[in-house]
Amino acid sequence: MVTTQTLDELIRRSAQELAEYGIDQPLREVRLLMEAANGIEIKEQLVAPDKTLNQAQVNSFQKYLRARKNRTPYAYLTNVKEFYGREFYIKNCLIPRPETELIVDFIKENIQERFEGKCNILDLCTGSGCLGLTVLLELEKQMAIELTMTDISDQALDTCKVNVKKHCSHNSKIMILKSDLFPNRDFENPQFFDLIVANPPYIKSGDITGLAPEVAGYEPHLALDGGVEGLDFYFRIAEEIRPFLQKKQSTVLLMEHGAGQRKAIIKIFEETDLVIKERIELNDWQGHDRVLGFVLIR
Ligand SMILES: C[S@@+](CC[C@H](N)C(=O)[O-])C[C@H]1O[C@@H](n2cnc3c(N)ncnc32)[C@H](O)[C@@H]1O
């Protein structure tokens, strides 16, 4: 089939189709798909609406459009998502969210001075590695960083390894471990951390199917499912963290959580015998509670 339609006609017709499939901001989405499918940047689309596409370009665009109608998230089509100004490779892992950047901002603004020239960091539930790697990349000019990243999913860890190669130098001290939450104890060579960050799964199991089709249908449920109340991982972190706390000084723990979960998580931690020196609470731009942290001493 040979097409004679212009770029603008194709874009407008496709936006109409996406709207019929219930997709928000259909025109913007279509322009992004055109850019991803054929490398025609949005500004070029805007200044050359009468451009005609060859059949290969139309086919490539239609493939992306079909996937988007089926609610495949844009980041899984392009295998890229921006996080804190850097592009992360994304495949078989959670798509990084802007809320998680709150943790990086906080670390940069507030606790850099707590660590005297060095920081041993643990990123639990690392997924694409966006959180741990960003903290490393933001702090490594000021101090010596060691970073351990854990996840239970082999597929997520494969993606994380790609991101390590993409963003880090050979000199970076990074360990990527497959583990069920905390790393297995190495009794001969125990690790103690100055900073522990985590964005664990925190959606209530029963709520997952009701999420947006892009999330429920495509993002790994392993990355979403926080158990019946969405709190399973916070119980586990509270119970299992002690052996990983620094011996002489304090350890800072920062965890993302779902809006409305803060009070319950505070209770979980207060019911342990952990010594809480300070509590950190961060809200997102809409005022929702999103990050909870503790400064802990052994
Ligand atoms: C919400 S995602 C966070 C990913 C990434 N840190 C981010 O912020 O985009 C949670 C991650 O936890 C991992 N996960 C689930 N259960 C786990 C477990 N028992 N131990 C370690 N990681 C787990 C999932 O594979 C997923 O990558």
Side-chain angles (χ1 to χ4, degrees):
M1 187 186 76
V2 177
T3 176
T4 53
Q5 64 196 331
T6 64
L7 180 63
D8 205 50
E9 282 165 351
L10 181 61
I11 283 178
R12 288 189 187 277
R13 188 166 50 76
S14 306
Q16 180 64 36
E17 289 175 25
L18 280 195
E20 283 160 17
Y21 277 76
I23 290 175
D24 287 342
Q25 298 189 294
L27 194 55
R28 181 175 173 274
E29 286 253 0
V30 165
R31 291 200 183 281
L32 286 169
L33 294 176
M34 181 60 77
E35 183 173 304
N38 291 315
I40 307 172
E41 287 182 13
I42 293 180
K43 59 176 185 291
E44 192 184 341
Q45 298 173 29
L46 292 167
V47 296
D50 295 331
K51 185 183 172 80
T52 50
L53 301 182
N54 64 37
Q55 194 58 49
Q57 288 174 308
V58 174
N59 291 348
S60 152
F61 170 72
Q62 294 291 4
K63 195 172 120 208
Y64 276 61
L65 188 70
R66 271 195 302 279
R68 201 57 198 98
K69 283 182 192 167
N70 289 330
R71 297 296 195 127
T72 308
Y74 183 73
Y76 291 148
L77 291 174
T78 56
N79 295 120
V80 174
K81 179 74 187 177
E82 191 243 281
F83 183 83
Y84 218 82
R86 296 182 183 86
E87 289 196 340
F88 282 81
Y89 174 68
I90 299 301
K91 191 174 183 191
N92 301 316
C93 64
L94 190 94
I95 301 169
R97 305 293 205 271
E99 294 79 33
T100 312
E101 295 178 343
L102 289 170
I103 295 182
V104 184
D105 279 338
F106 180 82
I107 292 169
K108 280 182 67 180
E109 287 163 17
N110 292 282
I111 55 177
Q112 213 168 306
E113 69 274 12
R114 283 178 200 260
F115 308 115
E116 289 158 5
K118 64 156 207 51
C119 188
N120 195 8
I121 305 173
L122 173 62
D123 178 19
L124 295 171
C125 301
T126 195
S128 63
C130 63
L131 177 56
L133 289 175
T134 301
V135 176
L136 173 135
L137 293 164
E138 292 295 321
L139 298 190
E140 70 180 353
K141 285 209 175 76
Q142 294 94 300
M143 61 184 81
I145 306 286
E146 288 183 29
L147 171 65
T148 303
M149 309 160 89
T150 74
D151 204 288
I152 204 168
S153 155
D154 286 316
Q155 289 182 311
L157 289 174
D158 286 345
T159 293
C160 178
K161 286 174 195 162
V162 174
N163 283 317
V164 169
K165 275 210 182 112
K166 184 172 171 162
H167 291 291
C168 302
S169 75
H170 291 301
N171 305 333
S172 300
K173 290 192 172 166
I174 298 177
M175 208 166 8
I176 302 169
L177 300 174
K178 179 176 179 169
S179 60
D180 185 0
L181 202 55
F182 284 95
N184 292 329
R185 290 306 285 155
D186 178 348
F187 290 100
E188 280 173 22
N189 206 358
Q191 283 250 60
F192 307 107
F193 296 95
D194 302 296
L195 173 64
I196 300 176
V197 292
N199 177 15
Y202 54 70
I203 309 290
K204 290 181 184 176
S205 310
D207 287 351
I208 292 177
T209 52
L211 297 174
E214 283 86 348
V215 182
Y218 292 92
E219 299 211 61
H221 285 202
L222 188 62
L224 303 171
D225 193 342
V228 177
E229 293 300 327
L231 298 171
D232 283 7
F233 283 86
Y234 305 101
F235 276 108
R236 284 194 56 193
I237 293 171
E239 276 163 17
E240 298 174 29
I241 196 170
R242 182 184 292 283
F244 301 91
L245 298 179
Q246 271 299 5
K247 279 195 158 159
K248 292 201 177 113
Q249 64 274 37
S250 51
T251 295
V252 179
L253 167 67
L254 290 165
M255 302 168 290
E256 184 173 325
H257 59 77
Q261 290 179 330
R262 178 181 290 158
K263 264 192 186 166
I265 303 170
I266 291 174
K267 192 145 193 293
I268 290 169
F269 275 78
E270 285 180 348
E271 284 179 357
T272 65
D273 53 6
L274 291 167
V275 181
I276 298 173
K277 212 170 107 187
E278 236 176 273
R279 196 163 83 208
I280 299 153
E281 301 180 356
L282 307 177
N283 290 356
D284 64 21
W285 312 271
Q286 292 167 312
H288 297 130
D289 51 332
R290 294 312 302 248
V291 173
L292 179 64
F294 297 104
V295 179
L296 297 169
I297 36 185
R298 266 181 183 249

